[in-house]
Amino acid sequence: MPKNFAMQSNFPENHHAVNLGDRRGRALWLAPGQAGAPVRIRLNGLLPYRFYRILPCRGLFARTDRRGRLRARLQLDRATLITIEPVV
């Protein structure tokens, strides 16, 4: 099993994931199979019961569950760098 929790998640075939420098967020390079198709992400290993901001999506926030798992659905027109940062 990979040590990088993001790599255990359900992502489109074309993606890359890295931890942010503070180890509290993630940066994801996602390429949807089809332009405008919904992309579902699930990240494990985040802080439990915390809100996270998903950029560059305007106003999109998600909350993790008690296990620190974040789930979100995005609609991407092309390959995009997504950052998931904790809200202070």
Side-chain angles (χ1 to χ4, degrees), residues 6-21:
M7 298 307 288
Q8 298 175 29
S9 302
N10 297 324
F11 290 110
E13 210 170 287
N14 300 322
H15 77 278
H16 299 284
V18 295
N19 289 325
L20 296 180

Side-chain angles (χ1 to χ4, degrees), residues 69-88:
R69 182 182 307 132
L70 179 136
R71 294 179 185 184
R73 182 177 168 194
L74 311 173
Q75 191 167 355
L76 303 175
D77 293 326
R78 61 188 173 281
T80 306
L81 177 65
I82 302 294
T83 58
I84 299 172
E85 304 169 343
V87 177
V88 179

